[in-house]
Amino acid sequence: MLRNIDPLLSPSLLHALRAMGHGDEIVIADANFPGTSTGPECIRADGSTASEVLRAVLSVMPLDTFVTDPALTMQVVGDPDAIPEAVADFQDIIDATADNPAKVQGLERFAFYERAATAFAIVQTGERRLYGNIILKKGVIG
């Protein structure tokens, strides 16, 4: 155990977050997301929700301030303006936890999958709410 480190941050996840550089992206995905087959390393966090993992990740990782979209979610198929419960929760967590809060932006489903395929890593959670997926772009610690 480490002091002041959220216990949801497993050794594998801490390693990935530390190894990421400015501009690298990490996906926090729900239980339905094709985490293993998408491509990047898939870190399992089955006993946690995406919201819990998001809060833990933002406790140690800054969001990028050099882009307008450091937090991306998957748009609802057929209703891109809808805001699912999980996405509303993500925005509340970012507003309360991130050192540089940003407005969550949406990506079309297949564009989200393509973006996720280029991420540094995917954290597959046990999140059961639909559209409980978010991509975060790592920022710089000044």
Side-chain angles (χ1 to χ4, degrees), residues 29-32 44-50 53 124-129:
D30 65 26
N32 290 302
R44 304 300 300 198
D46 298 294
S48 303
T49 68
V53 172
Q124 182 92 54
T125 71
E127 179 63 64
R128 296 180 66 190
R129 294 177 296 178

Side-chain angles (χ1 to χ4, degrees), residues 17-59:
L17 292 169
R18 179 59 184 97
M20 290 171 62
H22 171 244
D24 281 338
E25 294 180 330
I26 190 162
V27 179
I28 300 171
D30 65 26
N32 290 302
F33 192 83
T36 301
S37 64
T38 297
E41 175 188 9
C42 185
I43 300 165
R44 304 300 300 198
D46 298 294
S48 303
T49 68
S51 292
E52 291 168 334
V53 172
L54 174 62
R55 186 176 289 106
V57 166
L58 290 177
S59 75

Side-chain angles (χ1 to χ4, degrees), residues 57-80:
V57 166
L58 290 177
S59 75
V60 296
M61 187 190 90
L63 290 178
D64 197 336
T65 58
F66 295 109
V67 297
T68 58
D69 58 353
L72 298 165
T73 59
M74 185 185 294
Q75 293 174 339
V76 174
V77 175
D79 190 2

